[in-house]
Amino acid sequence: KNEVEQSPQNLTAQEGEFITINCSYSVGISALHWLQQHPGGGIVSLFMLSSGKKKHGRLIATINIQEKHSSLHITASHPRDSAVYICAVRSIQGAQKLVFGQGTRLTINP
Amino acid sequence: DAGVIQSPRHEVTEMGQEVTLRCKPISGHDYLFWYRQTMMRGLELLIYFNNNVPIDDSGMPEDRFSAKMPNASFSTLKIQPSEPRDSAVYFCATRDRGAYNEQFFGPGTRLTVL
């Protein structure tokens, strides 16, 4: 079993829908990252969380440390949100290392 | 700042050849990470440096891979000899020393070994 599991692996939705991507992990962590990878391949850091919730524009990330679970929400989704969303954790033992989930491929149709 | 700079952006080579990938970090960033991304395995950490010193190279797949950081402005990842299974996208990422600072990724080098 991978240390970081994401669901769903693929998600297709219509423009305007509310999107939720989930991430579960099995190790103690010091931080969790949400990354976005566009079709061109570049990777952008969206959020880094150690507790609670963060919001940036239409994106919201939450984390529940006790349940070892995080969610990434997108409100009023748009075709430009189409990308692969990757969850990564920095384990307490691993210091600076990031362990990545397999990613969720999101497609938003107009 | 121009962000993390990687070169080349694409590399096509034949099996057995030496490949050198290059990374210029964001000025002032203390940590530099080399990652590999494949369809089968996703993103994996290969090695990371702190203040130019290699800290953890446990992700380096085998002796054919080596990485150096001779100064704060430059790092290389070398594969010698290259094999078709090394075909992947290689990312360099850097971050500041703050414990909760995010990583900034370069655009990646797409390597194809024929």
Side-chain angles (χ1 to χ4, degrees):
Chain A
K1 190 178 188 299
N2 293 334
E3 289 180 321
V4 182
E5 296 275 356
Q6 287 184 236
S7 63
Q9 290 189 351
N10 293 282
L11 178 57
T12 300
Q14 291 299 121
E15 183 174 356
E17 288 189 35
F18 181 82
I19 303 299
T20 296
I21 299 170
N22 296 299
C23 175
S24 296
Y25 52 91
S26 57
V27 296
I29 68 169
S30 59
L32 181 144
H33 298 249
W34 280 104
L35 309 171
Q36 180 191 56
Q37 185 169 29
H38 272 283
I43 297 175
V44 175
S45 177
L46 297 175
F47 294 104
M48 187 174 67
L49 297 162
S50 55
S51 65
K53 178 169 93 172
K54 287 189 176 181
K55 183 176 189 292
H56 185 258
R58 294 179 295 105
L59 274 59
I60 303 166
T62 64
I63 188 168
N64 185 318
I65 297 294
Q66 286 73 29
E67 295 187 2
K68 292 187 166 60
H69 181 269
S70 175
S71 292
L72 176 67
H73 305 285
I74 305 174
T75 62
S77 59
H78 190 276
R80 65 174 174 265
D81 298 325
S82 298
V84 175
Y85 292 84
I86 302 169
C87 172
V89 301
R90 189 191 303 172
S91 71
I92 292 172
Q93 289 78 17
Q96 306 302 325
K97 296 171 66 168
L98 287 181
V99 178
F100 298 88
Q102 284 293 93
T104 295
R105 183 174 299 278
L106 174 65
T107 303
I108 304 296
N109 292 319
Chain B
D1 200 319
V4 178
I5 299 173
Q6 289 187 247
S7 64
R9 294 292 306 277
H10 302 271
E11 177 82 25
V12 180
T13 191
E14 292 189 345
M15 184 174 64
Q17 296 297 307
E18 177 179 297
V19 175
T20 299
L21 311 181
R22 297 173 176 80
C23 176
K24 177 178 169 53
I26 293 172
S27 177
H29 281 194
D30 297 332
Y31 288 90
L32 184 141
F33 305 81
W34 280 103
Y35 296 101
R36 179 172 69 177
Q37 185 179 39
T38 61
M39 288 292 292
M40 289 297 295
R41 300 172 67 90
L43 274 164
E44 303 173 285
L45 176 67
L46 299 177
I47 185 171
Y48 79 91
F49 296 82
N50 180 23
N51 290 322
N52 314 335
V53 177
I55 303 300
D56 186 339
D57 65 354
S58 59
M60 297 285 263
E62 43 196 278
D63 291 345
R64 297 184 297 105
F65 285 69
S66 63
K68 294 182 180 179
M69 192 164 185
N71 57 62
S73 302
F74 185 64
S75 177
T76 59
L77 178 67
K78 185 175 293 186
I79 308 172
Q80 165 64 20
S82 58
E83 297 183 3
R85 61 193 165 120
D86 302 330
S87 298
V89 181
Y90 292 81
F91 288 98
C92 175
T94 72
R95 74 168 183 83
D96 199 353
R97 70 170 67 90
Y100 295 101
N101 286 353
E102 63 182 287
Q103 292 189 17
F104 292 84
F105 284 77
T109 295
R110 183 174 296 276
L111 173 65
T112 303
V113 183
L114 302 173

